[in-house]
Amino acid sequence: PRPEPAKPSSRWRSPLAVALIAVIVVAAVVIGLTGAELYARHKAGSVLVAIAECIVEDEASVSFGVSPPFLWQHITGHYTNISVKTGGMQVQAAKGMTADVALSDIRLEGTADSKGTIGSLTATLSWTAAGIKDTVAENLPGVGALVTDVSTDPSAGTITMQAVGDTKVTAKPVVNDGNLDLEVTDVSGPFEKDTVQTALDGLTTQLNDAYPLGIHADSVEVTDTGVVGKFSSQDAAIPNDESDDACFAQL
């Protein structure tokens, strides 16, 4: 009998073709995951920027940790590290203040009382001397408008507010029970020391009470350009009710 002709081999069964198909599949998966990663970062970043800008009343930028991949963090609702930096125009009523915030161990696990928790929050608030002047002028009607200049003395740990005429107020930034206060050390001019202290207490109380998420002051330092405070919060509950903080409503 005549031998049967050999069957032509399929080009798709060759080792090279199989390897090529595998490479294409892997590339498609990588491209898909990369696209999803970038989209998730963009979407979450837009939401968090809006929340941060609502809280500080200034421009803000947000960045995320790289490990594990953000897409996995987004799927699980457990974010390892988030950084927030503001524009420096103001932090709420404090003019000329910049906030540099680091958050870690954020868990979006909603309950009846909260949308989740923030394991750790640390913030560095830098307040310029010019910003202190503008804040005093805006929040202490009448008296504040008289302040013409604010200077700092790092060696003494004090700030000095110069007002019209010979009026001068020297105060020392201090931390008292988690609040950042200004203790008046010297006053020259027509105002009594107690009167000035009462006015500054009202201002610092307004600023301290406005910080969200249980943020409290840990330390403060006077620099050549202003005042730098270290703030923190642990195991903070993310507000679940708009009445508590409307800025978190879109989270």
Side-chain angles (χ1 to χ4, degrees):
R2 181 182 301 177
E4 294 183 3
K7 295 181 179 179
S9 60
S10 173
R11 70 179 64 179
W12 300 110
R13 294 178 183 176
S14 68
L16 180 59
V18 172
L20 181 59
I21 293 173
V23 169
I24 292 174
V25 171
V26 171
V29 172
V30 170
I31 292 173
L33 289 176
T34 301
E37 173 86 359
L38 294 176
Y39 176 78
R41 283 178 176 268
H42 172 73
K43 183 66 175 178
S46 298
V47 171
L48 293 181
V49 164
I51 293 173
E53 291 181 344
C54 176
I55 293 173
V56 302
E57 300 174 16
D58 191 9
E59 294 182 351
S61 60
V62 174
S63 60
F64 302 95
V66 296
S67 179
F70 182 78
L71 184 59
W72 179 253
Q73 299 181 53
H74 195 55
I75 292 172
T76 60
H78 179 204
Y79 301 86
T80 53
N81 296 286
I82 299 176
S83 299
V84 180
K85 189 172 181 62
T86 65
M89 292 293 294
Q90 64 186 53
V91 173
Q92 299 178 344
K95 305 298 181 182
M97 181 180 283
T98 302
D100 196 343
V101 185
L103 307 96
S104 62
D105 192 20
I106 305 99
R107 297 177 183 270
L108 296 184
E109 300 170 349
T111 66
D113 300 320
S114 74
K115 292 185 176 182
T117 58
I118 299 174
S120 175
L121 182 155
T122 59
T124 299
L125 302 184
S126 303
W127 201 7
T128 65
I132 295 173
K133 171 184 172 296
D134 293 340
T135 304
V136 171
E138 184 169 307
N139 292 275
L140 296 180
V143 178
L146 301 176
V147 177
T148 58
D149 184 56
V150 172
S151 58
T152 62
D153 184 349
S155 61
T158 59
I159 63 173
T160 298
M161 290 173 277
Q162 181 72 51
V164 293
D166 296 327
T167 302
K168 184 183 296 185
V169 175
T170 301
K172 186 179 182 67
V174 296
V175 173
N176 287 323
D177 295 328
N179 292 323
L180 179 58
D181 296 330
L182 293 172
E183 290 186 354
V184 177
T185 60
D186 186 61
V187 176
S188 61
F191 298 103
E192 295 291 333
K193 183 177 179 180
D194 289 344
T195 302
V196 176
Q197 184 66 70
T198 299
L200 291 181
D201 286 346
L203 173 60
T204 54
T205 297
Q206 175 187 344
L207 298 177
N208 288 314
D209 289 348
Y211 293 134
L213 302 172
I215 296 174
H216 58 270
D218 296 317
S219 64
V220 63
E221 177 186 6
V222 177
T223 68
D224 291 332
T225 57
V227 176
V228 176
K230 301 289 187 179
F231 292 74
S232 68
S233 179
Q234 303 294 322
D235 298 323
I238 301 173
N240 196 30
D241 191 339
E242 286 192 29
S243 61
D244 294 331
D245 196 324
C247 292
F248 290 95
Q250 58 187 305
L251 185 63

